[in-house]
Amino acid sequence: MQGNFKYSNPTTLYFGDHSIQYLNDELSKYGSNVLFIYGGNSIKKNGLYDEVLQILKSNQKNVFEDAGVMPNPTLDKLYEGIKIARENKVDFILAVGGGSVVDYAKAVSVSIHCEEDPWDKYFDRFEDVSCKIVPMGCILTMVGTGSEMNGGSVITNTQTKEKIGHVFGENVFPKFAILNPVYTFTVPHYQMIAGFFDIMSHILEQYFSGTDDNTSDYIAEGLMKSLIHSSKIAVKDPTHYEARSNIMWTSTWALNTLIHQGKPGDWMVHMMGQAIGAYTDATHGMTLAVVSLPYYRYIMKDGLVKFKRFAINVWNVNPENKTDEEIAKEGLYCLENYMKELGLVMKSKELGVTESMIRDIARKSFILEGGYKKLSFDEVVEILEASM
Ligand code: NZQ
Ligand code: ZN
Protein backbone atom coordinates (compact mmCIF):
# COMPACT_ATOMS: atom_id res chain seq x y z
CA MET A 1 0.00 0.00 0.00
CA GLN A 2 1.31 3.46 -0.86
CA GLY A 3 1.15 6.67 1.13
CA ASN A 4 -0.58 7.56 4.36
CA PHE A 5 -4.34 7.79 4.47
CA LYS A 6 -7.40 8.12 6.63
CA TYR A 7 -10.30 5.85 5.81
CA SER A 8 -13.86 6.32 6.98
CA ASN A 9 -17.25 6.39 5.31
CA PRO A 10 -20.18 8.06 7.04
CA THR A 11 -23.04 6.60 4.95
CA THR A 12 -25.24 4.07 6.74
CA LEU A 13 -26.45 1.35 4.38
CA TYR A 14 -29.72 -0.56 4.72
CA PHE A 15 -29.65 -3.52 2.37
CA GLY A 16 -32.25 -6.07 1.31
CA ASP A 17 -35.84 -6.45 0.19
CA HIS A 18 -37.23 -5.14 3.51
CA SER A 19 -34.77 -2.26 3.86
CA ILE A 20 -37.42 0.45 3.34
CA GLN A 21 -38.65 -0.16 6.91
CA TYR A 22 -35.59 1.71 8.22
CA LEU A 23 -36.70 4.92 6.56
CA ASN A 24 -38.86 5.70 9.60
CA ASP A 25 -35.86 5.54 11.97
CA GLU A 26 -33.80 7.75 9.72
CA LEU A 27 -36.52 10.35 9.15
CA SER A 28 -36.92 10.82 12.88
CA LYS A 29 -33.36 12.24 13.00
CA TYR A 30 -34.01 15.13 10.61
CA GLY A 31 -36.09 18.28 10.21
CA SER A 32 -39.70 18.43 9.10
CA ASN A 33 -39.43 20.27 5.75
CA VAL A 34 -38.43 17.54 3.33
CA LEU A 35 -37.49 18.01 -0.30
CA PHE A 36 -38.50 14.80 -2.11
CA ILE A 37 -36.34 14.61 -5.23
CA TYR A 38 -36.96 12.11 -8.02
CA GLY A 39 -36.59 11.66 -11.76
CA GLY A 40 -39.23 10.87 -14.38
CA ASN A 41 -42.13 8.52 -14.08
CA SER A 42 -40.45 5.28 -13.07
CA ILE A 43 -41.13 5.54 -9.34
CA LYS A 44 -44.77 6.36 -10.01
CA LYS A 45 -45.13 3.34 -12.29
CA ASN A 46 -43.61 0.85 -9.86
CA GLY A 47 -45.41 2.14 -6.76
CA LEU A 48 -42.37 3.42 -4.88
CA TYR A 49 -43.56 7.04 -5.06
CA ASP A 50 -46.80 6.23 -3.18
CA GLU A 51 -44.96 4.13 -0.63
CA VAL A 52 -42.38 6.82 0.12
CA LEU A 53 -44.96 9.60 0.28
CA GLN A 54 -47.03 7.60 2.72
CA ILE A 55 -43.99 7.05 4.99
CA LEU A 56 -43.10 10.75 4.84
CA LYS A 57 -46.65 11.76 5.76
CA SER A 58 -46.87 9.22 8.59
CA ASN A 59 -43.73 10.85 10.00
CA GLN A 60 -45.51 14.25 9.96
CA LYS A 61 -43.18 15.70 7.33
CA ASN A 62 -44.05 18.69 5.16
CA VAL A 63 -43.23 17.34 1.73
CA PHE A 64 -42.05 19.53 -1.16
CA GLU A 65 -41.45 17.78 -4.46
CA ASP A 66 -38.68 18.39 -6.95
CA ALA A 67 -39.51 16.05 -9.83
CA GLY A 68 -38.14 15.54 -13.32
CA VAL A 69 -34.42 15.18 -12.64
CA MET A 70 -33.17 13.97 -16.01
CA PRO A 71 -30.38 11.47 -16.70
CA ASN A 72 -27.20 13.61 -16.84
CA PRO A 73 -28.77 16.36 -14.68
CA THR A 74 -28.30 19.89 -15.93
CA LEU A 75 -27.26 23.13 -14.30
CA ASP A 76 -30.59 24.73 -15.28
CA LYS A 77 -32.42 22.00 -13.39
CA LEU A 78 -30.12 22.57 -10.42
CA TYR A 79 -31.10 26.26 -10.26
CA GLU A 80 -34.74 25.16 -10.26
CA GLY A 81 -34.17 22.74 -7.36
CA ILE A 82 -32.30 25.33 -5.30
CA LYS A 83 -35.21 27.74 -5.74
CA ILE A 84 -37.80 25.19 -4.55
CA ALA A 85 -35.61 24.28 -1.58
CA ARG A 86 -35.03 27.90 -0.56
CA GLU A 87 -38.67 28.94 -0.92
CA ASN A 88 -39.78 26.11 1.35
CA LYS A 89 -36.95 26.33 3.90
CA VAL A 90 -36.07 22.71 3.33
CA ASP A 91 -34.03 21.07 6.09
CA PHE A 92 -33.75 17.52 4.76
CA ILE A 93 -33.50 16.01 1.28
CA LEU A 94 -34.73 12.57 0.29
CA ALA A 95 -33.51 11.45 -3.13
CA VAL A 96 -35.29 8.51 -4.76
CA GLY A 97 -33.79 7.30 -8.03
CA GLY A 98 -30.56 6.46 -9.81
CA GLY A 99 -27.19 8.16 -9.82
CA SER A 100 -28.53 11.24 -11.58
CA VAL A 101 -31.09 11.92 -8.85
CA VAL A 102 -28.60 11.26 -6.04
CA ASP A 103 -25.84 13.35 -7.67
CA TYR A 104 -28.28 16.18 -8.22
CA ALA A 105 -29.55 15.98 -4.63
CA LYS A 106 -25.96 16.42 -3.40
CA ALA A 107 -25.56 19.48 -5.60
CA VAL A 108 -28.78 20.97 -4.21
CA SER A 109 -27.71 20.17 -0.64
CA VAL A 110 -24.50 22.22 -0.95
CA SER A 111 -26.10 25.07 -2.89
CA ILE A 112 -29.18 26.03 -0.84
CA HIS A 113 -27.15 28.15 1.59
CA CYS A 114 -24.36 29.01 -0.85
CA GLU A 115 -24.15 32.70 -1.73
CA GLU A 116 -22.11 32.14 -4.88
CA ASP A 117 -23.07 30.51 -8.14
CA PRO A 118 -22.76 26.74 -7.55
CA TRP A 119 -21.38 26.06 -11.03
CA ASP A 120 -18.55 28.58 -10.60
CA LYS A 121 -17.69 27.48 -7.08
CA TYR A 122 -18.03 23.69 -7.25
CA PHE A 123 -17.76 22.65 -10.89
CA ASP A 124 -15.43 25.27 -12.28
CA ARG A 125 -13.17 26.18 -9.35
CA PHE A 126 -13.63 22.82 -7.49
CA GLU A 127 -13.82 24.58 -4.15
CA ASP A 128 -14.85 22.94 -0.89
CA VAL A 129 -18.22 23.70 0.62
CA SER A 130 -18.09 26.71 2.93
CA CYS A 131 -21.78 27.02 3.83
CA LYS A 132 -24.32 24.98 5.76
CA ILE A 133 -25.07 21.65 4.04
CA VAL A 134 -28.65 20.37 4.07
CA PRO A 135 -28.46 16.64 4.97
CA MET A 136 -29.54 14.13 2.34
CA GLY A 137 -30.50 10.46 2.34
CA CYS A 138 -31.38 8.26 -0.61
CA ILE A 139 -33.36 5.30 -1.83
CA LEU A 140 -31.54 3.82 -4.81
CA THR A 141 -33.52 2.46 -7.77
CA MET A 142 -30.77 1.90 -10.34
CA VAL A 143 -27.21 0.75 -9.73
CA GLY A 144 -23.92 1.70 -11.31
CA THR A 145 -22.63 5.04 -10.12
CA GLY A 146 -21.87 4.34 -6.45
CA SER A 147 -23.38 7.76 -5.71
CA GLU A 148 -25.26 6.24 -2.76
CA MET A 149 -22.06 6.02 -0.71
CA ASN A 150 -19.71 8.61 -2.15
CA GLY A 151 -19.31 12.35 -2.62
CA GLY A 152 -19.53 12.41 -6.42
CA SER A 153 -21.89 14.83 -8.10
CA VAL A 154 -21.83 15.18 -11.88
CA ILE A 155 -23.64 18.13 -13.46
CA THR A 156 -23.93 19.10 -17.13
CA ASN A 157 -23.73 22.70 -18.27
CA THR A 158 -25.56 22.64 -21.58
CA GLN A 159 -24.48 26.20 -22.45
CA THR A 160 -20.74 25.53 -22.22
CA LYS A 161 -21.05 21.85 -23.20
CA GLU A 162 -19.26 20.65 -20.10
CA LYS A 163 -20.12 17.63 -17.97
CA ILE A 164 -18.14 17.93 -14.77
CA GLY A 165 -17.98 15.90 -11.58
CA HIS A 166 -17.04 17.34 -8.21
CA VAL A 167 -16.01 14.78 -5.62
CA PHE A 168 -17.26 16.32 -2.38
CA GLY A 169 -16.02 15.37 1.06
CA GLU A 170 -17.65 13.13 3.64
CA ASN A 171 -19.89 15.94 4.85
CA VAL A 172 -21.80 15.69 1.56
CA PHE A 173 -22.09 11.87 1.36
CA PRO A 174 -25.68 10.60 1.78
CA LYS A 175 -26.42 10.17 5.49
CA PHE A 176 -28.04 6.86 4.64
CA ALA A 177 -28.84 4.77 1.58
CA ILE A 178 -31.64 2.26 1.26
CA LEU A 179 -30.61 -0.49 -1.14
CA ASN A 180 -33.39 -2.84 -2.15
CA PRO A 181 -32.36 -4.98 -5.16
CA VAL A 182 -36.03 -5.52 -6.06
CA TYR A 183 -36.34 -1.82 -6.97
CA THR A 184 -33.80 -2.39 -9.75
CA PHE A 185 -35.90 -5.08 -11.45
CA THR A 186 -37.83 -2.49 -13.49
CA VAL A 187 -34.77 -0.64 -14.86
CA PRO A 188 -34.95 -0.77 -18.70
CA HIS A 189 -32.51 -3.24 -20.30
CA TYR A 190 -30.37 -0.52 -21.96
CA GLN A 191 -29.93 1.38 -18.67
CA MET A 192 -29.31 -1.85 -16.77
CA ILE A 193 -26.41 -3.01 -18.93
CA ALA A 194 -24.97 0.53 -19.07
CA GLY A 195 -25.02 0.50 -15.26
CA PHE A 196 -23.23 -2.86 -15.21
CA PHE A 197 -20.45 -1.47 -17.34
CA ASP A 198 -20.25 1.68 -15.22
CA ILE A 199 -19.46 -0.58 -12.27
CA MET A 200 -16.81 -2.44 -14.29
CA SER A 201 -15.29 0.84 -15.40
CA HIS A 202 -15.09 2.22 -11.85
CA ILE A 203 -13.16 -0.87 -10.80
CA LEU A 204 -10.86 -0.77 -13.84
CA GLU A 205 -10.10 2.94 -13.36
CA GLN A 206 -8.76 2.14 -9.91
CA TYR A 207 -7.15 -1.20 -10.84
CA PHE A 208 -5.10 -0.02 -13.83
CA SER A 209 -2.75 2.18 -11.84
CA GLY A 210 0.25 1.69 -9.59
CA THR A 211 2.91 -0.99 -9.69
CA ASP A 212 3.03 -2.18 -6.09
CA ASP A 213 1.54 -5.32 -4.54
CA ASN A 214 -1.61 -3.70 -3.24
CA THR A 215 -4.53 -5.16 -1.28
CA SER A 216 -6.94 -2.85 -3.11
CA ASP A 217 -6.13 -4.65 -6.39
CA TYR A 218 -7.03 -8.03 -4.89
CA ILE A 219 -10.35 -6.62 -3.67
CA ALA A 220 -10.90 -5.15 -7.14
CA GLU A 221 -10.34 -8.56 -8.77
CA GLY A 222 -12.91 -10.14 -6.45
CA LEU A 223 -15.44 -7.43 -7.24
CA MET A 224 -14.89 -7.86 -10.98
CA LYS A 225 -15.34 -11.63 -10.79
CA SER A 226 -18.58 -11.26 -8.87
CA LEU A 227 -19.84 -8.63 -11.32
CA ILE A 228 -18.98 -10.69 -14.41
CA HIS A 229 -20.67 -13.77 -12.97
CA SER A 230 -23.85 -12.03 -11.78
CA SER A 231 -24.27 -9.67 -14.74
CA LYS A 232 -24.29 -12.63 -17.15
CA ILE A 233 -27.17 -14.08 -15.14
CA ALA A 234 -29.03 -10.77 -14.84
CA VAL A 235 -29.05 -10.01 -18.58
CA LYS A 236 -30.92 -13.26 -19.15
CA ASP A 237 -33.05 -13.09 -16.01
CA PRO A 238 -33.43 -9.49 -14.77
CA THR A 239 -35.53 -10.50 -11.75
CA HIS A 240 -32.93 -12.97 -10.44
CA TYR A 241 -32.69 -11.66 -6.86
CA GLU A 242 -29.35 -13.21 -6.02
CA ALA A 243 -27.67 -11.80 -9.13
CA ARG A 244 -29.25 -8.33 -8.80
CA SER A 245 -28.40 -8.15 -5.10
CA ASN A 246 -24.77 -9.13 -5.72
CA ILE A 247 -24.52 -6.51 -8.44
CA MET A 248 -26.04 -3.84 -6.19
CA TRP A 249 -23.56 -4.59 -3.42
CA THR A 250 -20.61 -4.75 -5.85
CA SER A 251 -21.63 -1.43 -7.35
CA THR A 252 -21.55 0.30 -3.97
CA TRP A 253 -18.12 -1.09 -3.08
CA ALA A 254 -16.72 -0.32 -6.52
CA LEU A 255 -16.91 3.40 -5.87
CA ASN A 256 -17.28 4.12 -2.18
CA THR A 257 -13.59 5.11 -1.85
CA LEU A 258 -12.45 1.73 -0.39
CA ILE A 259 -10.48 0.36 -3.36
CA HIS A 260 -8.91 3.74 -4.05
CA GLN A 261 -7.03 3.64 -0.77
CA GLY A 262 -3.26 3.42 -0.90
CA LYS A 263 -2.96 3.73 -4.67
CA PRO A 264 -3.39 6.20 -7.53
CA GLY A 265 -6.33 6.01 -9.97
CA ASP A 266 -6.50 6.46 -13.72
CA TRP A 267 -9.98 7.91 -14.58
CA MET A 268 -9.15 8.77 -18.22
CA VAL A 269 -12.00 6.58 -19.48
CA HIS A 270 -14.37 8.68 -17.38
CA MET A 271 -12.83 11.95 -18.56
CA MET A 272 -13.34 11.02 -22.21
CA GLY A 273 -16.72 9.42 -21.50
CA GLN A 274 -18.01 12.50 -19.68
CA ALA A 275 -16.88 14.75 -22.53
CA ILE A 276 -18.76 12.51 -24.99
CA GLY A 277 -21.76 12.80 -22.66
CA ALA A 278 -21.54 16.60 -22.71
CA TYR A 279 -21.78 16.60 -26.53
CA THR A 280 -24.32 13.82 -27.03
CA ASP A 281 -26.27 13.43 -23.75
CA ALA A 282 -25.60 9.69 -24.17
CA THR A 283 -26.09 7.25 -21.30
CA HIS A 284 -23.05 7.39 -19.00
CA GLY A 285 -22.15 3.68 -18.99
CA MET A 286 -22.29 3.52 -22.80
CA THR A 287 -19.91 6.47 -23.15
CA LEU A 288 -17.43 4.48 -21.04
CA ALA A 289 -17.98 1.33 -23.07
CA VAL A 290 -17.04 2.98 -26.36
CA VAL A 291 -13.73 4.42 -25.18
CA SER A 292 -12.52 1.65 -22.87
CA LEU A 293 -11.04 -0.83 -25.35
CA PRO A 294 -9.38 1.77 -27.62
CA TYR A 295 -7.87 3.38 -24.52
CA TYR A 296 -6.69 0.19 -22.82
CA ARG A 297 -5.22 -1.17 -26.03
CA TYR A 298 -3.36 2.13 -26.44
CA ILE A 299 -1.80 2.11 -22.94
CA MET A 300 -1.44 -1.67 -22.53
CA LYS A 301 2.32 -1.79 -23.07
CA ASP A 302 2.87 0.93 -20.45
CA GLY A 303 1.09 -1.12 -17.79
CA LEU A 304 1.93 -4.56 -19.10
CA VAL A 305 2.42 -6.23 -15.70
CA LYS A 306 -1.07 -5.24 -14.53
CA PHE A 307 -2.74 -6.03 -17.86
CA LYS A 308 -1.16 -9.49 -17.73
CA ARG A 309 -2.38 -9.93 -14.16
CA PHE A 310 -5.87 -8.80 -15.25
CA ALA A 311 -5.91 -11.50 -17.93
CA ILE A 312 -4.84 -14.28 -15.61
CA ASN A 313 -6.60 -13.35 -12.35
CA VAL A 314 -9.87 -12.00 -13.73
CA TRP A 315 -10.35 -13.94 -16.98
CA ASN A 316 -8.43 -17.14 -16.20
CA VAL A 317 -6.27 -16.77 -19.30
CA ASN A 318 -3.79 -19.64 -19.49
CA PRO A 319 -0.31 -18.05 -19.61
CA GLU A 320 1.58 -21.14 -20.81
CA ASN A 321 3.86 -20.63 -23.81
CA LYS A 322 2.70 -17.04 -24.32
CA THR A 323 4.58 -13.75 -24.10
CA ASP A 324 3.42 -11.18 -21.54
CA GLU A 325 2.01 -9.11 -24.37
CA GLU A 326 0.04 -12.03 -25.79
CA ILE A 327 -1.44 -12.75 -22.35
CA ALA A 328 -2.37 -9.09 -21.79
CA LYS A 329 -3.99 -8.87 -25.23
CA GLU A 330 -6.01 -11.99 -24.54
CA GLY A 331 -7.31 -10.41 -21.32
CA LEU A 332 -8.59 -7.40 -23.27
CA TYR A 333 -10.09 -9.73 -25.84
CA CYS A 334 -12.01 -11.46 -22.99
CA LEU A 335 -13.21 -8.03 -21.80
CA GLU A 336 -14.38 -7.28 -25.34
CA ASN A 337 -16.30 -10.57 -25.55
CA TYR A 338 -17.92 -9.90 -22.19
CA MET A 339 -18.99 -6.42 -23.30
CA LYS A 340 -20.50 -7.84 -26.48
CA GLU A 341 -22.27 -10.54 -24.51
CA LEU A 342 -23.90 -7.86 -22.34
CA GLY A 343 -24.94 -6.04 -25.51
CA LEU A 344 -23.15 -2.75 -24.86
CA VAL A 345 -22.72 -0.05 -27.47
CA MET A 346 -19.16 -0.49 -28.78
CA LYS A 347 -18.76 2.47 -31.15
CA SER A 348 -18.99 6.14 -30.27
CA LYS A 349 -20.64 7.07 -33.58
CA GLU A 350 -23.62 4.98 -32.44
CA LEU A 351 -23.95 7.43 -29.53
CA GLY A 352 -24.11 10.39 -31.90
CA VAL A 353 -20.42 11.34 -31.98
CA THR A 354 -19.38 12.75 -35.36
CA GLU A 355 -15.90 13.28 -36.82
CA SER A 356 -16.36 17.04 -36.56
CA MET A 357 -16.99 16.79 -32.79
CA ILE A 358 -13.86 14.82 -31.93
CA ARG A 359 -11.40 17.66 -31.36
CA ASP A 360 -13.94 19.55 -29.24
CA ILE A 361 -14.63 16.43 -27.18
CA ALA A 362 -10.88 15.96 -26.75
CA ARG A 363 -10.53 19.57 -25.58
CA LYS A 364 -13.21 18.96 -22.91
CA SER A 365 -11.52 15.74 -21.72
CA PHE A 366 -9.41 16.60 -18.66
CA ILE A 367 -6.02 14.89 -18.96
CA LEU A 368 -5.13 13.18 -15.68
CA GLU A 369 -1.85 11.61 -14.60
CA GLY A 370 -2.73 8.69 -12.32
CA GLY A 371 -2.73 5.95 -14.97
CA TYR A 372 0.09 4.16 -16.79
CA LYS A 373 0.58 6.87 -19.40
CA LYS A 374 -0.08 10.59 -19.43
CA LEU A 375 -1.81 11.25 -22.73
CA SER A 376 -1.20 14.26 -24.93
CA PHE A 377 -4.07 16.10 -26.60
CA ASP A 378 -3.24 14.39 -29.92
CA GLU A 379 -3.35 10.99 -28.26
CA VAL A 380 -6.80 11.71 -26.81
CA VAL A 381 -7.90 12.60 -30.36
CA GLU A 382 -6.37 9.34 -31.66
CA ILE A 383 -8.21 7.26 -29.04
CA LEU A 384 -11.51 9.02 -29.70
CA GLU A 385 -11.03 8.42 -33.44
CA ALA A 386 -10.38 4.74 -32.76
CA SER A 387 -13.62 4.62 -30.74
CA MET A 388 -15.67 5.55 -33.84
O1 NZQ B 1 -36.09 9.26 -14.35
P1 NZQ B 1 -36.73 7.94 -14.15
O2 NZQ B 1 -38.10 7.85 -14.66
O3 NZQ B 1 -36.59 7.45 -12.73
O4 NZQ B 1 -35.91 6.90 -15.10
C1 NZQ B 1 -34.55 6.61 -14.90
C2 NZQ B 1 -33.65 7.18 -15.99
O5 NZQ B 1 -34.36 7.37 -17.18
C3 NZQ B 1 -34.39 5.13 -15.08
N1 NZQ B 1 -34.59 4.38 -13.85
C4 NZQ B 1 -33.90 4.47 -12.69
N2 NZQ B 1 -34.36 3.57 -11.82
C5 NZQ B 1 -35.37 2.92 -12.41
C6 NZQ B 1 -35.52 3.43 -13.72
N3 NZQ B 1 -36.46 2.98 -14.56
C7 NZQ B 1 -37.26 1.99 -14.13
N4 NZQ B 1 -37.14 1.42 -12.91
C8 NZQ B 1 -36.21 1.86 -12.02
N5 NZQ B 1 -36.09 1.26 -10.84
O6 NZQ B 1 -33.05 4.95 -15.50
C9 NZQ B 1 -32.64 6.08 -16.26
C10 NZQ B 1 -31.24 6.43 -15.91
O7 NZQ B 1 -31.13 6.88 -14.58
P2 NZQ B 1 -29.81 7.64 -14.09
O8 NZQ B 1 -30.01 8.02 -12.69
O9 NZQ B 1 -29.45 8.69 -15.07
O10 NZQ B 1 -28.70 6.49 -14.23
P3 NZQ B 1 -27.35 6.29 -13.45
O11 NZQ B 1 -27.60 5.70 -12.13
O12 NZQ B 1 -26.48 5.55 -14.38
O13 NZQ B 1 -26.75 7.76 -13.23
C11 NZQ B 1 -26.00 8.40 -14.23
C12 NZQ B 1 -25.43 9.73 -13.74
O14 NZQ B 1 -24.50 9.54 -12.66
C13 NZQ B 1 -23.25 10.15 -12.99
C14 NZQ B 1 -23.23 10.06 -14.49
O15 NZQ B 1 -22.29 10.91 -15.09
C15 NZQ B 1 -24.66 10.41 -14.85
O16 NZQ B 1 -24.84 11.80 -14.84
N6 NZQ B 1 -22.14 9.51 -12.27
C16 NZQ B 1 -22.03 9.71 -10.94
C17 NZQ B 1 -20.95 9.22 -10.21
C18 NZQ B 1 -20.79 9.45 -8.76
N7 NZQ B 1 -21.71 10.06 -8.07
O17 NZQ B 1 -19.75 9.08 -8.20
C19 NZQ B 1 -19.87 8.48 -10.85
C20 NZQ B 1 -20.23 7.94 -12.18
O18 NZQ B 1 -19.03 7.67 -12.86
C21 NZQ B 1 -21.10 8.83 -13.00
O19 NZQ B 1 -20.31 9.81 -13.64
ZN1 ZN C 1 -19.02 6.03 -13.94
Side-chain angles (χ1 to χ4, degrees):
M1 301 292 280
Q2 293 173 358
N4 299 277
F5 58 85
K6 169 196 168 204
Y7 180 71
S8 65
N9 191 312
T11 305
T12 301
L13 300 178
Y14 297 101
F15 193 92
D17 55 354
H18 295 304
S19 49
I20 190 88
Q21 62 182 298
Y22 297 102
L23 184 57
N24 287 305
D25 298 347
E26 286 293 341
L27 289 175
S28 68
K29 299 177 191 167
Y30 301 102
S32 51
N33 289 345
V34 176
L35 187 65
F36 177 10
I37 300 183
Y38 57 96
N41 237 2
S42 77
I43 65 163
K44 290 199 169 155
K45 270 202 215 149
N46 63 19
L48 188 55
Y49 171 86
D50 289 334
E51 193 178 357
V52 170
L53 202 59
Q54 195 269 323
I55 296 172
L56 287 166
K57 296 279 181 201
S58 69
N59 282 273
Q60 283 81 49
K61 302 293 183 183
N62 306 314
V63 182
F64 305 97
E65 293 191 23
D66 180 6
V69 179
M70 61 293 278
N72 307 325
T74 64
L75 180 61
D76 290 337
K77 176 67 189 160
L78 175 61
Y79 292 141
E80 211 181 288
I82 298 167
K83 188 164 176 276
I84 301 171
R86 284 180 181 160
E87 281 170 4
N88 297 291
K89 299 193 171 23
V90 157
D91 42 28
F92 180 68
I93 297 172
L94 183 64
V96 184
S100 294
V101 170
V102 181
D103 277 18
Y104 168 88
K106 287 176 202 164
V108 173
S109 80
V110 297
S111 303
I112 296 172
H113 299 286
C114 177
E115 283 168 10
E116 293 166 78
D117 180 86
W119 178 264
D120 294 346
K121 183 175 172 68
Y122 302 126
F123 300 94
D124 187 28
R125 300 199 303 269
F126 293 101
E127 284 175 17
D128 289 337
V129 187
S130 47
C131 63
K132 191 176 143 195
I133 299 166
V134 175
M136 184 271 286
C138 67
I139 301 173
L140 200 67
T141 64
M142 136 115 209
V143 307
T145 65
S147 190
E148 67 276 14
M149 203 185 192
N150 70 31
S153 173
V154 185
I155 298 293
T156 299
N157 184 331
T158 50
Q159 263 94 51
T160 60
K161 287 205 184 306
E162 286 171 295
K163 181 176 180 187
I164 295 181
H166 183 132
V167 181
F168 290 101
E170 285 180 19
N171 47 359
V172 183
F173 282 37
K175 299 292 170 209
F176 64 87
I178 290 175
L179 307 176
N180 179 346
V182 176
Y183 295 154
T184 69
F185 287 180
T186 53
V187 172
H189 183 81
Y190 186 86
Q191 296 292 341
M192 177 186 77
I193 57 173
F196 293 170
F197 194 72
D198 193 18
I199 305 169
M200 182 56 127
S201 180
H202 295 157
I203 305 171
L204 292 176
E205 299 271 31
Q206 298 165 95
Y207 182 73
F208 287 131
S209 66
T211 51
D212 58 335
D213 180 33
N214 191 308
T215 299
S216 294
D217 291 334
Y218 293 90
I219 302 173
E221 286 165 357
L223 292 173
M224 282 190 270
K225 284 181 166 184
S226 172
L227 173 68
I228 293 161
H229 175 75
S230 294
S231 58
K232 286 181 178 184
I233 298 171
V235 281
K236 294 200 184 90
D237 182 2
T239 60
H240 193 291
Y241 184 85
E242 188 176 66
R244 296 306 286 265
S245 62
N246 282 331
I247 294 166
M248 191 169 219
W249 195 232
T250 299
S251 177
T252 300
W253 288 93
L255 197 56
N256 72 351
T257 76
L258 175 81
I259 63 168
H260 222 316
Q261 302 304 325
K263 64 177 308 219
D266 183 329
W267 299 107
M268 274 315 296
V269 167
H270 270 69
M271 294 305 104
M272 290 185 275
Q274 278 176 204
I276 289 176
Y279 276 79
T280 60
D281 198 26
T283 299
H284 173 65
M286 295 305 186
T287 67
L288 308 173
V290 298
V291 291
S292 287
L293 286 165
Y295 175 61
Y296 290 134
R297 287 188 170 129
Y298 194 84
I299 64 158
M300 192 193 82
K301 285 187 188 152
D302 298 279
L304 196 57
V305 174
K306 186 62 73 63
F307 280 95
K308 178 186 168 190
R309 177 176 161 170
F310 175 63
I312 296 170
N313 289 4
V314 178
W315 299 104
N316 302 317
V317 168
N318 179 356
E320 268 172 47
N321 304 320
K322 291 171 196 158
T323 64
D324 287 356
E325 207 175 312
E326 282 167 347
I327 299 165
K329 272 189 185 160
E330 208 174 315
L332 290 180
Y333 181 68
C334 292
L335 176 63
E336 180 173 0
N337 279 343
Y338 165 70
M339 292 169 73
K340 287 181 175 161
E341 190 179 333
L342 288 188
L344 295 163
V345 177
M346 304 294 283
K347 296 283 170 203
S348 54
K349 66 169 180 288
E350 288 170 36
L351 298 177
V353 176
T354 60
E355 292 288 350
S356 64
M357 280 180 196
I358 283 186
R359 293 185 79 78
D360 288 333
I361 292 174
R363 253 177 239 115
K364 296 284 168 62
S365 304
F366 289 98
I367 294 177
L368 305 176
E369 300 184 32
Y372 289 119
K373 181 173 176 40
K374 185 180 176 197
L375 300 178
S376 66
F377 172 78
D378 289 340
E379 288 174 318
V380 174
V381 170
E382 200 178 323
I383 290 161
L384 289 170
E385 275 170 351
S387 79
M388 294 288 278

